[in-house]
Amino acid sequence: MIFHVLTIFPEFFQGPFAHGVVKRAGEAGLLEIRIHNLRDWTLDRHKTVDDRPFGGGEGMVLKAEPIFQAVESIWPERRPGQRVVLLSAQGRLFEQRMANGFANEPELLLICGRYEGVDERVAEHLADHEISIGNYVLSGGELAAAVVVDAVARLLPGVLGNESSAAFESFQDTGHGQGLLDCPHWTRPADFRGWKAPQVLLNGNHEQIRQFRQQAARDKTTRLRPDLLLIRGQATKPPNSSQGESGTRIHPEPYGKIED
Ligand code: 9D3
């Protein structure tokens, strides 16, 4: 799979992509990451990528022209498997389901937003998806793009012991297995500073261990991520939420173009 990243900070990505799964997948030829400097597609001598917002207001906005020029030069004849993703604070919340969908595409181009935002014509007429990685304010889309690349790269066949795309298809869920958080884990020593690993995990009774883990996952989900129970309509009493209705979707509809 080929990832393109369009950014005004190309140096930023030497860090995140030089380690771990993404680095190894790159070395194995399973993915390729091409970083593109947005300023390469400016025409003025100051290499201007931003301008003041129409209507006034604080901050600057990334101009549409260099972004369109860049994408049209990277893909002179854009094909269906070549998806453009705009990372912006106004985007739809990125989740596992979207990563699964992206992993099935041959090529992805991530546009990193900056400043106060990006000229809306990029979202309307160039990008297939506009996504945010969470409800907090970042200073730009670069960290978000690295997050998306990592989440997608680890799904590619051959990268993490995903031997075939069949193994990969069995992972077409939200990433939380049965819709719950993973169960908690312990490793040696069994007693660390007086804090003991649960005895049941040491006794070798696999049925008891399975039941313990299932309950521990439920308990932890109820405590830390009651929203996951709401999505599946499993919550008996909606903890601290106005979305009490059974089966309430956090996202209003499935991701049409991506999957589901
Ligand atoms: C007045 C409100 N603005 C600034 C506080 C809105 C705003 C503009 C630009 C907020 C963030 C940004 C820059 N952020 C991104 O480009 C971004 C982002 C994010 O901020 N949070 C989560 N995901 C992403 S993806 C890109």
Side-chain angles (χ1 to χ4, degrees):
M1 177 165 182
I2 302 177
F3 296 86
H4 300 269
V5 180
L6 185 59
T7 173
I8 59 166
F9 295 121
E11 336 75 62
F12 174 92
F13 295 94
Q14 287 171 8
F17 297 155
H19 304 277
V21 162
V22 174
K23 182 194 181 196
R24 287 203 306 278
E27 288 168 349
L30 301 167
L31 65 82
E32 190 183 325
I33 301 173
R34 300 186 192 159
I35 310 296
H36 307 272
N37 189 345
L38 182 61
R39 292 193 197 278
D40 292 349
W41 285 277
T42 54
L43 298 170
D44 63 312
R45 68 187 175 93
H46 293 113
K47 299 186 187 291
T48 309
V49 291
D50 60 334
D51 206 340
R52 290 151 53 209
F54 281 132
E58 290 294 295
M60 299 292 271
V61 173
L62 272 185
K63 292 161 65 63
E65 292 113 307
I67 296 176
F68 273 78
Q69 285 298 332
V71 174
E72 287 162 3
S73 122
I74 293 166
W75 292 330
E77 286 174 61
R78 188 165 153 198
R79 300 202 305 275
Q82 299 178 315
R83 296 296 185 196
V84 175
V85 175
L86 173 64
L87 284 317
S88 96
Q90 282 70 44
R92 175 178 274 175
L93 200 56
F94 182 60
E95 58 160 64
Q96 187 63 44
R97 204 151 35 129
M98 305 167 86
N100 294 344
F102 291 154
N104 283 317
E105 305 282 2
E107 226 171 324
L108 209 60
L109 193 159
L110 305 167
I111 301 170
C112 304
R114 269 277 151 184
Y115 309 118
E116 219 30 53
V118 181
D119 188 301
E120 188 64 15
R121 287 165 290 199
V122 171
E124 280 189 0
H125 304 294
L126 186 63
D128 297 295
H129 305 277
E130 180 174 10
I131 64 188
S132 152
I133 61 162
N135 299 326
Y136 36 78
V137 180
L138 300 173
S139 50
E142 281 77 11
L143 275 168
V147 165
V148 171
V149 169
D150 189 276
V152 175
R154 61 176 293 286
L155 296 173
L156 298 176
V159 170
L160 262 188
N162 309 312
E163 285 318 314
S164 64
S165 54
F168 167 61
E169 272 153 35
S170 71
F171 191 67
Q172 297 284 328
D173 65 357
T174 61
H176 289 118
Q178 307 298 316
L180 300 175
L181 295 179
D182 195 4
C183 64
H185 304 285
W186 289 264
T187 188
R188 292 182 293 178
D191 183 332
F192 172 65
R193 299 185 179 177
W195 298 307
K196 292 171 183 58
Q199 188 59 44
V200 61
L201 298 177
L202 312 178
N203 74 8
N205 184 328
H206 295 291
E207 177 54 22
Q208 270 185 29
I209 289 171
R210 193 191 61 78
Q211 284 182 26
F212 171 85
R213 285 182 165 158
Q214 194 174 74
Q215 191 55 47
R218 279 197 217 105
D219 293 347
K220 189 150 185 174
T221 306
T222 302
R223 213 157 35 86
L224 270 56
R225 294 295 307 276
D227 56 305
L228 294 178
L229 299 174
L230 282 173
I231 292 170
R232 290 166 46 80
Q234 290 176 344
T236 42
K237 173 165 153 273
N240 222 352
S241 166
S242 58
Q243 296 187 302
E245 195 184 314
S246 200
T248 302
R249 270 186 182 275
I250 300 301
H251 288 294
E253 81 246 9
Y255 305 107
K257 281 193 220 163
I258 284 298
E259 65 141 32
D260 210 319

